[in-house]
Amino acid sequence: MDTTTTDTQPMLIGGEWITSEDGAIDSVNPATGRINRRVTAASAAQVDAAVAAARDAASAKGWRDMLPHVRAQILGRISDGIRAHADELAHLQMIENGKVLSECRTQVAGAAATYRYYAAVCETLGAEVPPARGDYLSMTAYEPYGVVAAITPWNSPMTMEAQKIAPALAAGNAVLLKPSEVTPSVGLAVARIAQEAGLPPGILNVLPGTGAVTGHAIIHHPGVRMVSFTGGTQTGRSIAAVAAQRLIPVALELGGKSPHIIFDDAQLDAAIDGVVDGIFEGSGQSCVAGSRLFVHRKVLDQVLAMLVERANGLRVDLPDAPGAQMGPVSGFRHRERIEAMVQGARDEGGEILAGGCRPEGDHLAAGAFYRPTVIAGLGNHATAVREEIFGPVLCVLPFDDEDDLIAQANDTAFGLASGIWTANYQRAWRVARALEAGLVWINTYKQLSIATPFGGFKESGIGREKGVTGVRLYQQSKGIYWSMNPANVRA
Ligand code: NDP
């Protein structure tokens, strides 16, 4: 697997690797500003060809009727292949989205585990035969949609793509993957591994390109029967509008502005570790980033002092530098947006306690780096507190009591994740139940398991990925009734 080639990289349609210069996109290393490679982008006509190939492959006996344990073996071999290519895959993600190498390695291991998990689910998940309510048997069978689309963002392509492709394949579908134009390469590399693992041609097609051309053509194509999307809330809303017109199901994993909460009885050292990882890991480019920190007023000064010291001490460096804790953000335009949001926070009266600028150092000057930033003094209605910044920017707000906290924490359009630090388990339970969020962490943060369903409340999404039921997202149920009355059957 070559991660530094100068040739234009092909896309994968119907088992064929196809290269085209028309509309090809540049993959750029955000740590250096240099072009990694050019990648073929799919036109509307090529999307059409991919849907046709996927439809044929999905309805071919070889895939549709493949016994679950045989399909599971293929998924298991993909998992093995990902593990065997772990270093190249981690490097490939790092040079496209700038995440530090250690985090990329962890995500590669997670992707391999996701394929292994869905191999096990594929082999063991049953259909249902409820107790009879008459002289008949009824059964709930689960069938694939046929061709499903997976549209993914740039922040964690290793993780996001595995979380969609593995269950969609386990469910018996053919998949069209449209990776972010910022990170086209990981999906292509995993597709090559899947081919080597024996996945039939056309079952996984990878169509890099822009949302405006490739993504648009995919979601409007009549052959695409379901769309699984992870990305920004605005894009999710526009995809949902198209799906509503077409009457096809969508799964949407969208943005967040997650409240992270420290009560005055919290173990502060552990809480600060959780808060720092929760917002600065991956340069804050995580949908579950704990970007609004609510601190009980009694411990506010102490928490702010600890946070500022930790933020200033984080090592921002090239993502493959030993000991680097934060790499660049994903691109230069994205950094400009983060800078504009921080300037807006200043204008609205926010006090920048740490960061709020680019790091010093000649070796970082060519990259899209930004310092870990802590802002205090803003109200819950300031733009930087309301909008997702998707960068290393933490807004800290005080609260006086539980009612005040819940009101502030829930006063947001989003509802993805949340975190609570307290020694009082009754309070943790009460607050966990009161928060409008799809995920609550208690005395920990960003702990994730493939076995636990994941998704958001409110404008953070529709549907739940992961877990055993993650497969059901990519299936439709069919009720089959079977009379047990011998009089109804010719002897
Ligand atoms: P975007 O919404 O901009 O893009 C996501 C994907 O959708 C990209 O592949 C993009 O293509 C594509 N796309 C854009 N417009 C369309 C369209 N009209 N039709 C079809 N596809 C389209 O998100 P980002 O890539 O900027 O990712 C950041 C966002 O993702 C954040 O809001 C973050 O919170 C969210 N996210 C949510 C997660 C969750 O699980 N809830 C996890 C991770 C991120 P293109 O290649 O052109 O960008």
Side-chain angles (χ1 to χ4, degrees):
M1 199 178 294
D2 184 359
T3 56
T4 56
T5 176
T6 50
D7 297 337
T8 300
Q9 295 299 290
M11 63 185 161
L12 179 62
I13 297 178
E16 302 290 327
W17 293 93
I18 296 162
T19 306
S20 159
E21 289 297 332
D22 280 353
I25 49 181
D26 286 332
S27 141
V28 177
N29 186 336
T32 62
R34 285 198 288 271
I35 293 176
N36 296 313
R37 54 182 52 205
R38 277 175 79 66
V39 178
T40 300
S43 64
Q46 285 160 330
V47 167
D48 195 40
V51 174
R55 201 162 31 196
D56 288 351
S59 53
K61 271 201 152 310
W63 185 244
R64 196 179 166 85
D65 300 337
M66 187 177 277
L67 294 171
H69 65 282
V70 181
R71 190 176 294 151
Q73 280 166 9
I74 296 177
L75 293 171
R77 285 198 296 270
I78 297 174
S79 173
D80 294 344
I82 290 173
R83 257 198 307 276
H85 292 283
D87 282 345
E88 298 104 298
L89 289 169
H91 188 257
L92 211 44
Q93 178 174 281
M94 179 195 75
I95 63 173
E96 293 197 329
N97 73 1
K99 280 202 168 174
V100 294
L101 194 53
S102 53
E103 190 182 346
C104 293
R105 286 206 174 104
T106 304
Q107 292 193 319
V108 173
T114 297
Y115 278 94
R116 198 181 56 231
Y117 177 83
Y118 281 109
V121 172
C122 180
E123 190 160 352
T124 54
L125 197 61
E128 289 132 33
V129 182
R133 296 177 69 88
D135 195 12
Y136 60 84
L137 194 68
S138 71
M139 177 187 181
T140 309
Y142 294 91
E143 299 187 351
Y145 284 102
V147 179
V148 305
I151 302 181
T152 51
W154 43 260
N155 61 330
S156 298
M158 258 335 299
T159 308
M160 305 291 147
E161 290 167 12
Q163 267 169 219
K164 295 187 188 307
I165 296 169
L169 296 181
N173 297 283
V175 179
L176 305 184
L177 170 68
K178 205 302 272 176
S180 164
E181 63 188 286
V182 178
T183 49
S185 300
V186 165
L188 292 165
V190 171
R192 214 174 266 282
I193 289 169
Q195 246 183 349
E196 287 164 12
L199 193 70
I203 293 298
L204 175 59
N205 305 272
V206 184
L207 306 170
T210 63
V213 175
T214 313
H216 181 273
I218 290 173
I219 61 173
H220 285 87
H221 199 291
V224 171
R225 300 310 310 155
M226 185 267 175
V227 177
S228 177
F229 170 80
T230 298
T233 292
Q234 274 314 106
T235 316
R237 193 174 273 124
S238 69
I239 289 175
V242 174
Q245 282 304 315
R246 296 195 44 222
L247 292 176
I248 59 167
V250 280
L252 303 174
E253 298 290 352
L254 308 177
K257 193 76 192 179
S258 299
H260 205 157
I261 298 157
I262 301 182
F263 282 96
D264 54 345
D265 62 350
Q267 214 287 37
L268 285 189
D269 289 326
I272 298 298
D273 282 348
V275 169
V276 167
D277 284 353
I279 183 63
F280 297 130
E281 193 184 57
S283 301
Q285 302 164 118
S286 161
C287 52
V288 295
S291 48
R292 293 185 299 150
L293 176 65
F294 293 98
V295 184
H296 193 279
R297 207 179 285 279
K298 265 197 208 160
V299 288
L300 180 65
D301 290 345
Q302 195 184 349
V303 164
L304 283 175
M306 291 169 87
L307 267 177
V308 168
E309 190 187 339
R310 288 291 302 277
N312 286 336
L314 283 178
R315 176 147 171 219
V316 181
D317 210 335
L318 295 169
D320 54 354
Q325 290 169 296
M326 245 180 66
V329 296
S330 70
F332 298 91
R333 280 222 316 271
H334 186 47
R335 179 173 64 180
E336 280 170 24
R337 189 179 166 271
I338 294 168
E339 289 176 327
M341 291 294 281
V342 173
Q343 185 53 47
R346 277 195 189 95
D347 296 343
E348 287 190 73
E351 197 185 345
I352 314 299
L353 300 179
C357 57
R358 301 176 185 185
E360 289 171 0
D362 288 348
H363 70 302
L364 304 183
F369 292 88
Y370 197 74
R371 285 209 56 79
T373 298
V374 178
I375 306 177
L378 291 172
N380 205 23
H381 288 247
T383 311
V385 181
R386 296 199 82 73
E387 287 186 15
E388 187 181 41
I389 299 176
F390 221 58
V393 181
L394 177 68
C395 295
V396 186
L397 298 99
F399 70 89
D400 292 309
D401 55 37
E402 229 172 278
D403 289 344
D404 175 35
L405 165 75
I406 299 295
Q408 291 196 68
N410 285 343
D411 185 14
T412 168
F414 297 108
L416 191 54
S418 56
I420 304 167
W421 294 86
T422 178
N424 180 331
Y425 271 74
Q426 284 89 352
R427 173 157 63 199
W429 171 252
R430 277 195 307 275
V431 175
R433 297 308 303 262
L435 288 171
E436 295 166 351
L439 267 174
V440 183
W441 284 293
I442 298 169
N443 293 327
T444 181
Y445 201 81
K446 256 191 160 183
Q447 196 87 54
L448 287 164
S449 155
I450 185 64
T452 305
F454 177 95
F457 283 21
K458 292 155 72 177
E459 293 186 15
S460 288
I462 299 175
R464 296 290 178 269
E465 291 190 314
K466 302 174 42 172
V468 172
T469 52
V471 169
R472 299 295 189 221
L473 206 53
Y474 299 97
Q475 290 177 323
Q476 44 202 338
S477 72
K478 180 183 277 180
I480 302 176
Y481 288 75
W482 202 315
S483 170
M484 290 296 133
N485 183 350
N488 291 357
V489 183
R490 207 166 73 184

